[in-house]
Structures are given as C-alpha cells and as structure tokens.
Amino acid sequence: MKVEIFDYGSDSNDYYIIYKVTGIDPEDQEKLRGNVEGNVELKNGDMFITTHFEEKYFPLGSADAQLRIEDFIAREEIEMTVYLTSLLEDEDLEII
C-alpha cells in the first residue's frame, strides 16, 4: 500500500486533504471504504480519501508547516498509512 497526498487546501472554512491510496486489492479497498473516516472515491483502481478539518486542526496550515511543507506532508502520509493498516488489521483479526 502506498499513500500520497494528492491535494490539500481550503474552500471558505473547509480545510481538506485528499489522500491517494494505491497498491491495495479490491477486497481491501471495500474493507477500508466501509470503515475509514472521510469521503472515499474509487477511480481507475486507486482510492481517494478526503478528510476535512477545522482550521485550528488542519495539519498543513501552520506557519511551521509552511516553512517545512515536505516534512509535514511526509508525516501526514505516514500517519494515514498507519491508520489504514490498523483498520485492515482490525478487520482481519475480527476485533470487537
């Protein structure tokens, strides 16, 4: 599984990040689609997950993020990878 930030920004007071997830089979896509927080779209075999934030919680909006945006993007991609992996593992283990 590979997670990349496809797009991010804001529209009015809506702050968002769109993650592109590749390298997962259709069965895992369906598992994630049913459990992930955010809007999920499937396009050409890739999964796009859109998450929305309040301005104060938007991880790419701080002054520090603007100075080192590549570091903040990498961190968000890692965090989403861990989150998605945990969802798949929970599903595989059937944890209640």
Coordinates of all heavy atoms in Angstrom, one line a residue:
M1 N 0.9 -1.2 0.0 CA 0.0 0.0 0.0 C 0.9 1.2 0.0 O 1.9 1.3 0.7 CB -0.9 0.0 1.2 CG -1.7 1.3 1.4 SD -2.9 1.4 2.8 CE -2.3 0.2 4.0
K2 N 0.5 2.2 -0.8 CA 1.2 3.5 -0.9 C 0.2 4.6 -0.7 O -0.8 4.6 -1.4 CB 2.0 3.6 -2.2 CG 2.8 4.9 -2.3 CD 3.6 5.0 -3.5 CE 4.4 6.2 -3.5 NZ 5.2 6.4 -4.8
V3 N 0.5 5.5 0.2 CA -0.3 6.7 0.4 C 0.4 7.9 0.1 O 1.5 8.1 0.5 CB -0.8 6.7 1.9 CG1 -1.6 8.0 2.2 CG2 -1.5 5.5 2.3
E4 N -0.2 8.8 -0.7 CA 0.4 10.1 -1.1 C -0.7 11.1 -0.9 O -1.9 10.9 -1.2 CB 0.8 10.1 -2.6 CG 1.9 9.1 -2.9 CD 2.2 9.1 -4.4 OE1 1.3 8.7 -5.2 OE2 3.2 9.6 -4.8
I5 N -0.3 12.3 -0.5 CA -1.2 13.4 -0.5 C -1.4 13.9 -2.0 O -0.4 14.3 -2.6 CB -0.7 14.6 0.4 CG1 -0.8 14.1 1.9 CG2 -1.6 15.8 0.2 CD1 -0.5 15.1 2.9
F6 N -2.6 13.8 -2.4 CA -2.9 14.1 -3.8 C -3.2 15.6 -3.9 O -2.8 16.3 -4.9 CB -4.2 13.3 -4.2 CG -4.6 13.6 -5.6 CD1 -3.9 13.1 -6.7 CD2 -5.8 14.3 -5.9 CE1 -4.3 13.3 -8.0 CE2 -6.2 14.5 -7.2 CZ -5.5 14.0 -8.2
D7 N -3.9 16.2 -2.9 CA -4.3 17.6 -2.9 C -4.6 18.0 -1.5 O -5.0 17.2 -0.7 CB -5.5 17.8 -3.8 CG -5.8 19.3 -4.1 OD1 -4.9 20.2 -3.9 OD2 -6.9 19.6 -4.5
Y8 N -4.4 19.3 -1.2 CA -4.8 19.9 0.1 C -5.1 21.3 -0.1 O -4.6 22.0 -1.0 CB -3.8 19.6 1.2 CG -2.5 20.3 0.9 CD1 -2.2 21.6 1.5 CD2 -1.5 19.7 0.1 CE1 -1.0 22.2 1.2 CE2 -0.3 20.4 -0.1 CZ 0.0 21.6 0.5 OH 1.2 22.3 0.3
G9 N -5.8 21.9 0.9 CA -6.1 23.3 0.8 C -7.4 23.7 1.6 O -7.8 23.0 2.5
S10 N -8.0 24.8 1.1 CA -9.2 25.2 1.8 C -10.2 25.9 0.8 O -9.7 26.4 -0.2 CB -8.9 26.2 2.9 OG -8.3 27.4 2.4
D11 N -11.4 25.7 1.1 CA -12.5 26.4 0.4 C -13.4 27.0 1.5 O -13.9 26.3 2.3 CB -13.4 25.4 -0.4 CG -12.6 24.7 -1.5 OD1 -11.7 25.4 -2.1 OD2 -12.9 23.5 -1.8
S12 N -13.4 28.3 1.5 CA -14.1 29.0 2.6 C -13.5 28.6 3.9 O -12.3 28.7 4.2 CB -15.6 28.8 2.5 OG -16.1 29.4 1.4
N13 N -14.3 28.0 4.8 CA -13.9 27.5 6.1 C -13.7 26.0 6.1 O -13.6 25.4 7.2 CB -14.9 27.9 7.2 CG -14.8 29.4 7.5 OD1 -13.8 30.0 7.3 ND2 -15.9 29.9 7.9
D14 N -13.6 25.4 4.9 CA -13.5 23.9 4.8 C -12.0 23.6 4.5 O -11.5 23.9 3.4 CB -14.4 23.3 3.8 CG -14.2 21.8 3.6 OD1 -13.9 21.2 4.6 OD2 -14.3 21.4 2.4
Y15 N -11.3 23.0 5.4 CA -9.9 22.7 5.2 C -9.9 21.2 4.9 O -10.5 20.4 5.6 CB -9.0 23.0 6.4 CG -9.0 24.5 6.6 CD1 -10.0 25.2 7.2 CD2 -7.9 25.2 6.1 CE1 -9.9 26.6 7.3 CE2 -7.8 26.6 6.2 CZ -8.8 27.3 6.9 OH -8.8 28.6 7.0
Y16 N -9.1 20.7 3.9 CA -9.2 19.3 3.5 C -7.8 18.8 3.0 O -6.9 19.6 2.7 CB -10.2 19.2 2.3 CG -9.7 19.9 1.1 CD1 -9.0 19.2 0.1 CD2 -10.1 21.2 0.9 CE1 -8.5 19.9 -1.0 CE2 -9.7 21.9 -0.3 CZ -8.9 21.2 -1.2 OH -8.4 21.9 -2.3
I17 N -7.7 17.5 3.1 CA -6.6 16.8 2.5 C -7.2 15.6 1.7 O -8.0 14.9 2.2 CB -5.6 16.2 3.5 CG1 -5.0 17.4 4.3 CG2 -4.5 15.4 2.9 CD1 -4.0 16.9 5.5
I18 N -6.7 15.4 0.5 CA -7.1 14.3 -0.3 C -5.9 13.4 -0.4 O -4.9 13.8 -0.9 CB -7.6 14.7 -1.7 CG1 -8.8 15.7 -1.6 CG2 -8.0 13.5 -2.5 CD1 -9.2 16.3 -3.0
Y19 N -6.1 12.1 0.1 CA -5.0 11.1 0.0 C -5.3 10.2 -1.2 O -6.5 9.8 -1.4 CB -5.0 10.3 1.3 CG -4.8 11.1 2.5 CD1 -5.9 11.7 3.2 CD2 -3.5 11.3 3.0 CE1 -5.6 12.4 4.4 CE2 -3.3 12.0 4.2 CZ -4.4 12.6 4.9 OH -4.2 13.3 6.0
K20 N -4.3 9.8 -1.9 CA -4.4 8.8 -3.0 C -3.7 7.6 -2.4 O -2.6 7.6 -2.0 CB -3.7 9.3 -4.2 CG -3.7 8.3 -5.4 CD -3.0 8.9 -6.6 CE -3.1 7.9 -7.7 NZ -2.3 8.4 -8.9
V21 N -4.5 6.5 -2.4 CA -4.0 5.2 -1.9 C -4.0 4.2 -3.1 O -5.0 4.0 -3.8 CB -5.0 4.7 -0.8 CG1 -4.4 3.4 -0.2 CG2 -5.2 5.7 0.3
T22 N -2.8 3.7 -3.3 CA -2.6 2.7 -4.4 C -2.0 1.4 -3.9 O -1.5 1.4 -2.7 CB -1.6 3.3 -5.5 OG1 -0.4 3.6 -4.8 CG2 -2.2 4.6 -6.1
G23 N -2.0 0.4 -4.7 CA -1.4 -0.8 -4.3 C -2.1 -1.7 -3.4 O -1.5 -2.5 -2.6
I24 N -3.5 -1.6 -3.3 CA -4.3 -2.4 -2.5 C -5.3 -3.1 -3.3 O -5.8 -2.5 -4.3 CB -4.9 -1.7 -1.3 CG1 -5.8 -0.6 -1.7 CG2 -3.9 -1.3 -0.3 CD1 -6.5 0.1 -0.5
D25 N -5.7 -4.3 -3.0 CA -6.6 -5.1 -3.8 C -8.0 -4.6 -3.6 O -8.3 -4.0 -2.6 CB -6.5 -6.6 -3.6 CG -6.7 -7.0 -2.2 OD1 -7.7 -6.6 -1.6 OD2 -5.9 -7.8 -1.6
P26 N -8.9 -4.9 -4.5 CA -10.3 -4.5 -4.4 C -11.0 -4.9 -3.0 O -11.8 -4.2 -2.5 CB -11.0 -5.1 -5.6 CG -9.9 -5.3 -6.6 CD -8.7 -5.6 -5.8
E27 N -10.7 -6.1 -2.6 CA -11.3 -6.6 -1.3 C -10.9 -5.7 -0.1 O -11.7 -5.3 0.7 CB -10.8 -8.0 -1.0 CG -11.4 -8.6 0.3 CD -10.9 -10.0 0.5 OE1 -10.9 -10.8 -0.5 OE2 -10.6 -10.3 1.7
D28 N -9.6 -5.3 -0.1 CA -9.1 -4.4 1.0 C -9.7 -3.0 0.8 O -10.0 -2.3 1.7 CB -7.6 -4.3 1.1 CG -7.0 -5.6 1.7 OD1 -7.8 -6.3 2.4 OD2 -5.8 -5.8 1.6
Q29 N -9.9 -2.6 -0.5 CA -10.5 -1.3 -0.7 C -11.9 -1.2 -0.1 O -12.3 -0.2 0.5 CB -10.6 -1.0 -2.2 CG -9.2 -0.6 -2.8 CD -9.3 -0.4 -4.3 OE1 -10.3 -0.7 -5.0 NE2 -8.3 0.2 -4.9
E30 N -12.6 -2.3 -0.3 CA -14.0 -2.4 0.2 C -14.0 -2.4 1.7 O -14.9 -1.7 2.4 CB -14.8 -3.6 -0.3 CG -15.2 -3.4 -1.8 CD -16.1 -2.1 -2.0 OE1 -17.0 -1.9 -1.2 OE2 -15.8 -1.4 -2.9
K31 N -13.1 -3.1 2.4 CA -13.0 -3.1 3.8 C -12.7 -1.6 4.3 O -13.3 -1.2 5.3 CB -11.8 -4.0 4.3 CG -12.1 -5.4 4.1 CD -10.9 -6.3 4.6 CE -11.1 -7.7 4.3 NZ -9.9 -8.5 4.7
L32 N -11.8 -1.0 3.6 CA -11.5 0.4 4.1 C -12.6 1.3 3.8 O -12.9 2.2 4.6 CB -10.2 0.9 3.3 CG -8.9 0.2 3.7 CD1 -7.8 0.7 2.9 CD2 -8.6 0.5 5.2
R33 N -13.2 1.2 2.7 CA -14.4 2.0 2.3 C -15.4 2.0 3.3 O -16.1 3.1 3.6 CB -14.9 1.6 0.9 CG -15.9 2.5 0.3 CD -16.3 2.0 -1.0 NE -16.9 3.1 -1.8 CZ -17.1 3.1 -3.0 NH1 -16.8 2.1 -3.7 NH2 -17.7 4.1 -3.6
G34 N -15.7 0.9 4.0 CA -16.7 0.8 5.0 C -16.3 1.2 6.3 O -17.1 1.4 7.2
N35 N -15.0 1.4 6.6 CA -14.5 1.8 7.9 C -13.8 3.1 8.1 O -13.6 3.6 9.2 CB -13.6 0.6 8.4 CG -14.4 -0.6 8.7 OD1 -15.4 -0.7 9.3 ND2 -13.9 -1.7 8.1
V36 N -13.3 3.6 7.0 CA -12.5 4.8 7.1 C -13.3 6.1 7.3 O -14.5 6.1 6.9 CB -11.6 5.0 5.8 CG1 -12.5 5.4 4.6 CG2 -10.5 6.0 6.0
E37 N -12.8 7.0 8.1 CA -13.4 8.3 8.3 C -13.1 9.2 7.1 O -11.9 9.3 6.7 CB -13.0 8.9 9.6 CG -13.4 8.2 10.8 CD -13.0 8.9 12.1 OE1 -12.9 10.1 12.1 OE2 -12.8 8.2 13.1
G38 N -14.1 9.8 6.6 CA -13.9 10.7 5.4 C -14.6 10.2 4.2 O -15.3 9.1 4.2
N39 N -14.5 11.0 3.1 CA -15.2 10.6 1.9 C -14.3 9.7 1.1 O -13.1 10.1 0.9 CB -15.6 11.9 1.1 CG -16.5 12.8 1.9 OD1 -17.3 12.3 2.7 ND2 -16.3 14.1 1.7
V40 N -14.8 8.7 0.5 CA -13.9 7.7 -0.3 C -14.5 7.6 -1.7 O -15.7 7.5 -1.9 CB -13.9 6.3 0.4 CG1 -13.1 5.3 -0.5 CG2 -13.4 6.4 1.8
E41 N -13.6 7.7 -2.7 CA -13.9 7.5 -4.1 C -12.9 6.6 -4.7 O -11.7 6.6 -4.3 CB -13.8 8.9 -4.8 CG -14.9 9.9 -4.5 CD -14.7 11.1 -5.3 OE1 -14.6 11.0 -6.6 OE2 -14.7 12.2 -4.8
L42 N -13.4 5.7 -5.6 CA -12.5 4.8 -6.3 C -12.5 5.3 -7.7 O -13.5 5.5 -8.4 CB -13.1 3.4 -6.2 CG -13.1 2.8 -4.8 CD1 -13.8 1.4 -4.9 CD2 -11.8 2.7 -4.2
K43 N -11.2 5.5 -8.3 CA -11.0 5.9 -9.6 C -9.9 5.1 -10.2 O -8.8 5.2 -9.7 CB -10.7 7.4 -9.7 CG -11.7 8.3 -9.2 CD -11.3 9.8 -9.3 CE -12.3 10.7 -8.6 NZ -11.7 12.1 -8.6
N44 N -10.2 4.4 -11.3 CA -9.1 3.6 -12.0 C -8.3 2.7 -11.1 O -7.1 2.7 -11.3 CB -8.2 4.6 -12.8 CG -9.0 5.4 -13.8 OD1 -9.9 4.9 -14.5 ND2 -8.6 6.7 -14.0
G45 N -8.9 2.1 -10.2 CA -8.3 1.2 -9.3 C -7.6 1.8 -8.1 O -7.0 1.2 -7.2
D46 N -7.6 3.2 -8.0 CA -7.0 3.9 -6.9 C -8.1 4.4 -6.0 O -9.2 4.7 -6.4 CB -6.2 5.1 -7.4 CG -5.0 4.7 -8.3 OD1 -4.4 3.6 -8.0 OD2 -4.6 5.4 -9.2
M47 N -7.7 4.5 -4.7 CA -8.7 5.0 -3.7 C -8.3 6.5 -3.4 O -7.1 6.7 -3.1 CB -8.6 4.1 -2.5 CG -9.5 4.6 -1.4 SD -9.5 3.4 0.0 CE -10.7 2.2 -0.6
F48 N -9.3 7.3 -3.3 CA -9.0 8.7 -2.9 C -9.9 9.0 -1.7 O -11.1 8.8 -1.7 CB -9.4 9.7 -4.0 CG -8.5 9.6 -5.2 CD1 -8.8 8.7 -6.2 CD2 -7.5 10.5 -5.3 CE1 -7.9 8.6 -7.3 CE2 -6.6 10.4 -6.4 CZ -6.9 9.4 -7.4
I49 N -9.2 9.4 -0.6 CA -9.9 9.6 0.7 C -9.7 11.1 1.0 O -8.6 11.6 1.1 CB -9.2 8.8 1.8 CG1 -9.3 7.3 1.5 CG2 -9.9 9.1 3.2 CD1 -8.5 6.4 2.4
T50 N -10.9 11.8 1.2 CA -10.9 13.2 1.5 C -11.2 13.3 3.0 O -12.3 12.8 3.4 CB -11.9 14.0 0.7 OG1 -11.6 13.7 -0.7 CG2 -11.8 15.4 1.0
T51 N -10.4 14.0 3.7 CA -10.7 14.3 5.1 C -10.8 15.8 5.3 O -10.1 16.6 4.6 CB -9.5 13.8 6.1 OG1 -8.3 14.3 5.7 CG2 -9.5 12.3 6.1
H52 N -11.7 16.2 6.2 CA -12.0 17.6 6.4 C -11.6 18.0 7.8 O -11.7 17.2 8.8 CB -13.5 17.9 6.2 CG -13.9 17.6 4.8 ND1 -13.8 18.5 3.8 CD2 -14.4 16.5 4.2 CE1 -14.2 18.0 2.7 NE2 -14.6 16.7 2.9
F53 N -11.1 19.2 8.0 CA -10.6 19.7 9.3 C -11.2 21.1 9.6 O -11.4 21.9 8.7 CB -9.1 19.9 9.2 CG -8.3 18.6 8.9 CD1 -8.1 18.3 7.6 CD2 -7.8 17.8 9.9 CE1 -7.4 17.1 7.2 CE2 -7.1 16.6 9.6 CZ -6.9 16.3 8.2
E54 N -11.3 21.4 10.9 CA -11.4 22.7 11.3 C -10.1 23.4 11.1 O -9.0 22.8 11.2 CB -11.8 22.8 12.8 CG -13.2 22.2 13.1 CD -13.5 22.3 14.6 OE1 -13.1 23.3 15.2 OE2 -14.2 21.4 15.1
E55 N -10.1 24.7 10.9 CA -8.9 25.5 10.7 C -7.8 25.2 11.7 O -6.7 24.9 11.4 CB -9.2 27.0 10.6 CG -7.9 27.8 10.3 CD -8.2 29.3 10.2 OE1 -9.3 29.7 10.6 OE2 -7.3 30.0 9.7
K56 N -8.2 25.2 13.0 CA -7.2 25.0 14.1 C -6.6 23.6 14.1 O -5.5 23.5 14.7 CB -7.8 25.4 15.4 CG -8.9 24.5 15.9 CD -9.5 25.0 17.2 CE -10.7 24.2 17.6 NZ -11.3 24.7 18.8
Y57 N -7.2 22.7 13.5 CA -6.7 21.3 13.4 C -6.1 20.9 12.1 O -5.6 19.8 11.9 CB -7.8 20.3 13.8 CG -8.3 20.5 15.2 CD1 -9.7 20.8 15.4 CD2 -7.5 20.4 16.3 CE1 -10.2 21.0 16.6 CE2 -8.0 20.5 17.6 CZ -9.3 20.8 17.7 OH -9.8 21.0 19.0
F58 N -6.1 21.8 11.1 CA -5.6 21.5 9.8 C -4.0 21.3 9.9 O -3.3 22.3 10.2 CB -5.9 22.6 8.8 CG -5.5 22.4 7.4 CD1 -5.9 21.2 6.8 CD2 -4.7 23.3 6.8 CE1 -5.5 21.0 5.4 CE2 -4.4 23.1 5.4 CZ -4.7 21.9 4.8
P59 N -3.5 20.1 9.7 CA -2.1 19.9 9.9 C -1.1 20.6 8.9 O 0.1 20.7 9.2 CB -2.0 18.4 9.8 CG -3.1 17.9 9.0 CD -4.2 18.9 9.2
L60 N -1.6 21.0 7.8 CA -0.7 21.6 6.8 C -0.9 23.2 6.8 O -0.4 23.8 5.9 CB -1.0 21.0 5.4 CG -0.8 19.5 5.4 CD1 -1.1 19.0 4.0 CD2 0.6 19.1 5.8
G61 N -1.6 23.7 7.8 CA -1.8 25.2 7.7 C -1.0 26.0 8.7 O -1.1 27.2 8.6
S62 N -0.2 25.4 9.5 CA 0.5 26.2 10.5 C 1.7 26.9 9.8 O 2.2 26.5 8.7 CB 1.1 25.3 11.6 OG 2.1 24.4 11.1
A63 N 2.3 27.9 10.5 CA 3.5 28.6 10.0 C 4.6 27.6 9.9 O 5.4 27.7 8.9 CB 3.8 29.7 10.9
D64 N 4.8 26.7 10.8 CA 5.9 25.7 10.7 C 5.7 24.8 9.5 O 6.7 24.5 8.8 CB 5.9 24.8 12.0 CG 6.5 25.6 13.2 OD1 7.2 26.6 13.0 OD2 6.2 25.1 14.3
A65 N 4.5 24.4 9.2 CA 4.2 23.6 8.1 C 4.6 24.3 6.8 O 5.1 23.7 5.9 CB 2.7 23.2 8.0
Q66 N 4.3 25.6 6.7 CA 4.7 26.3 5.5 C 6.2 26.5 5.3 O 6.6 26.5 4.2 CB 4.0 27.7 5.6 CG 2.5 27.7 5.6 CD 1.9 26.7 4.6 OE1 2.2 26.9 3.4 NE2 1.1 25.8 5.1
L67 N 6.9 26.4 6.4 CA 8.4 26.5 6.3 C 9.0 25.2 5.9 O 10.0 25.1 5.2 CB 9.0 27.0 7.6 CG 8.7 28.4 8.1 CD1 9.2 28.6 9.5 CD2 9.2 29.4 7.1
R68 N 8.4 24.1 6.3 CA 8.9 22.7 6.0 C 7.8 21.8 5.5 O 7.5 20.8 6.0 CB 9.5 22.1 7.3 CG 10.7 22.9 7.8 CD 11.4 22.3 9.0 NE 10.7 21.3 9.7 CZ 10.1 21.4 10.9 NH1 10.3 22.5 11.6 NH2 9.5 20.4 11.5
I69 N 7.1 22.3 4.4 CA 5.9 21.6 4.0 C 6.2 20.1 3.6 O 5.3 19.3 3.9 CB 5.2 22.3 2.8 CG1 3.8 21.8 2.6 CG2 6.0 22.3 1.6 CD1 2.8 22.0 3.7
E70 N 7.3 19.8 3.0 CA 7.7 18.5 2.6 C 7.7 17.5 3.9 O 7.2 16.4 3.8 CB 9.0 18.4 1.9 CG 9.1 19.1 0.6 CD 9.4 20.6 0.8 OE1 9.8 21.0 1.9 OE2 9.2 21.4 -0.2
D71 N 8.2 18.0 5.0 CA 8.2 17.2 6.2 C 6.8 17.0 6.7 O 6.5 15.8 7.2 CB 9.0 17.9 7.3 CG 10.5 18.0 7.0 OD1 11.0 17.3 6.1 OD2 11.2 18.8 7.7
F72 N 6.0 18.0 6.7 CA 4.6 17.8 7.2 C 3.8 16.9 6.3 O 3.0 16.1 6.7 CB 3.9 19.2 7.3 CG 4.3 19.9 8.6 CD1 5.6 20.5 8.8 CD2 3.5 19.9 9.7 CE1 6.0 21.1 9.9 CE2 3.8 20.5 10.9 CZ 5.1 21.1 11.0
I73 N 4.0 17.0 5.0 CA 3.3 16.1 4.0 C 3.7 14.7 4.3 O 2.9 13.8 4.4 CB 3.6 16.5 2.6 CG1 2.8 17.8 2.3 CG2 3.2 15.4 1.6 CD1 3.0 18.4 0.9
A74 N 5.0 14.4 4.4 CA 5.5 13.1 4.7 C 4.9 12.5 6.0 O 4.5 11.4 6.0 CB 7.1 13.1 4.8
R75 N 4.8 13.3 7.0 CA 4.3 12.9 8.3 C 2.8 12.5 8.1 O 2.4 11.5 8.6 CB 4.4 14.0 9.3 CG 3.8 13.6 10.7 CD 3.9 14.7 11.7 NE 5.2 15.3 11.8 CZ 5.4 16.5 12.3 NH1 4.4 17.2 12.7 NH2 6.6 17.0 12.3
E76 N 2.0 13.3 7.4 CA 0.6 13.0 7.2 C 0.5 11.7 6.4 O -0.4 10.9 6.6 CB -0.1 14.2 6.4 CG -0.4 15.3 7.3 CD -1.2 14.9 8.5 OE1 -2.3 14.3 8.3 OE2 -0.8 15.2 9.6
E77 N 1.3 11.5 5.4 CA 1.3 10.3 4.6 C 1.6 9.0 5.4 O 0.9 8.0 5.3 CB 2.2 10.4 3.4 CG 1.8 11.4 2.4 CD 2.8 11.6 1.3 OE1 4.0 11.3 1.4 OE2 2.5 12.2 0.3
I78 N 2.5 9.2 6.3 CA 2.9 8.1 7.2 C 1.7 7.8 8.2 O 1.3 6.7 8.4 CB 4.2 8.4 8.0 CG1 5.4 8.3 7.1 CG2 4.4 7.4 9.2 CD1 6.6 8.9 7.7
E79 N 1.2 8.9 8.8 CA 0.0 8.7 9.7 C -1.2 8.0 9.0 O -1.8 7.2 9.6 CB -0.3 10.0 10.3 CG 0.7 10.5 11.3 CD 0.3 11.9 12.0 OE1 -0.8 12.4 11.7 OE2 1.1 12.4 12.7
M80 N -1.5 8.4 7.8 CA -2.6 7.8 7.1 C -2.3 6.3 6.8 O -3.2 5.5 6.9 CB -2.9 8.6 5.8 CG -4.1 8.0 5.1 SD -5.7 7.9 6.0 CE -6.3 9.5 5.9
T81 N -1.1 6.0 6.4 CA -0.7 4.6 6.2 C -0.9 3.8 7.4 O -1.4 2.7 7.3 CB 0.8 4.6 5.7 OG1 0.9 5.3 4.5 CG2 1.2 3.1 5.4
V82 N -0.4 4.3 8.5 CA -0.6 3.6 9.8 C -2.1 3.4 10.1 O -2.5 2.3 10.5 CB 0.2 4.3 10.9 CG1 -0.2 3.7 12.3 CG2 1.7 4.2 10.7
Y83 N -2.9 4.4 10.0 CA -4.3 4.4 10.2 C -5.0 3.3 9.3 O -5.7 2.5 9.8 CB -4.9 5.8 10.0 CG -6.4 5.8 10.0 CD1 -7.1 5.5 11.1 CD2 -7.1 6.2 8.9 CE1 -8.5 5.6 11.1 CE2 -8.5 6.3 8.8 CZ -9.2 5.9 10.0 OH -10.6 6.0 10.0
L84 N -4.7 3.4 8.0 CA -5.3 2.4 7.1 C -4.9 1.0 7.4 O -5.7 0.1 7.4 CB -5.0 2.8 5.7 CG -5.6 4.1 5.2 CD1 -5.1 4.4 3.8 CD2 -7.1 4.2 5.3
T85 N -3.6 0.8 7.7 CA -3.1 -0.5 8.1 C -3.8 -1.0 9.3 O -4.2 -2.2 9.4 CB -1.6 -0.5 8.3 OG1 -1.0 0.0 7.0 CG2 -1.0 -1.8 8.6
S86 N -4.0 -0.2 10.3 CA -4.6 -0.6 11.5 C -6.1 -1.0 11.3 O -6.6 -2.0 11.9 CB -4.6 0.5 12.6 OG -5.4 1.6 12.3
L87 N -6.8 -0.3 10.4 CA -8.1 -0.7 10.0 C -8.2 -2.1 9.4 O -9.0 -2.9 9.7 CB -8.8 0.3 9.1 CG -9.1 1.7 9.7 CD1 -9.7 2.6 8.6 CD2 -10.1 1.6 10.9
L88 N -7.2 -2.3 8.5 CA -7.2 -3.6 7.8 C -6.8 -4.7 8.8 O -7.4 -5.8 8.7 CB -6.2 -3.6 6.7 CG -6.6 -2.8 5.5 CD1 -5.5 -2.7 4.5 CD2 -7.9 -3.3 4.8
E89 N -5.9 -4.5 9.7 CA -5.5 -5.5 10.7 C -6.7 -5.8 11.6 O -7.0 -6.9 12.0 CB -4.3 -5.0 11.5 CG -3.0 -5.1 10.6 CD -1.8 -4.6 11.4 OE1 -2.0 -4.0 12.5 OE2 -0.7 -4.7 10.8
D90 N -7.4 -4.7 12.1 CA -8.6 -4.9 13.0 C -9.6 -5.8 12.3 O -10.2 -6.7 12.8 CB -9.2 -3.6 13.4 CG -8.4 -2.9 14.4 OD1 -7.4 -3.5 15.0 OD2 -8.7 -1.7 14.7
E91 N -9.8 -5.5 11.0 CA -10.8 -6.3 10.2 C -10.4 -7.7 10.1 O -11.2 -8.6 10.2 CB -11.0 -5.6 8.8 CG -12.0 -6.3 7.9 CD -13.4 -6.0 8.4 OE1 -13.7 -5.0 9.1 OE2 -14.3 -6.8 8.0
D92 N -9.1 -7.9 9.8 CA -8.6 -9.3 9.6 C -8.6 -10.1 10.9 O -8.9 -11.3 10.9 CB -7.1 -9.3 9.1 CG -7.0 -8.8 7.7 OD1 -8.0 -8.8 6.9 OD2 -5.9 -8.4 7.3
L93 N -8.4 -9.4 12.0 CA -8.5 -10.1 13.3 C -9.9 -10.2 13.9 O -10.1 -10.9 14.9 CB -7.5 -9.4 14.3 CG -6.1 -9.4 13.9 CD1 -5.3 -8.5 14.9 CD2 -5.5 -10.8 13.9
E94 N -10.8 -9.5 13.3 CA -12.2 -9.5 13.7 C -12.3 -9.1 15.2 O -12.9 -9.7 16.0 CB -12.9 -10.8 13.5 CG -13.0 -11.2 12.1 CD -13.7 -12.5 11.8 OE1 -14.5 -12.9 12.6 OE2 -13.4 -13.1 10.8
I95 N -11.6 -8.0 15.5 CA -11.6 -7.5 16.9 C -12.9 -6.7 17.1 O -13.4 -6.0 16.3 CB -10.4 -6.5 17.1 CG1 -9.1 -7.2 17.0 CG2 -10.6 -5.7 18.4 CD1 -7.9 -6.3 17.0
I96 N -13.5 -7.0 18.2 CA -14.8 -6.4 18.5 C -14.6 -5.2 19.4 O -13.9 -5.2 20.3 CB -15.7 -7.4 19.2 CG1 -16.0 -8.6 18.3 CG2 -17.0 -6.8 19.7 CD1 -16.8 -9.7 18.9

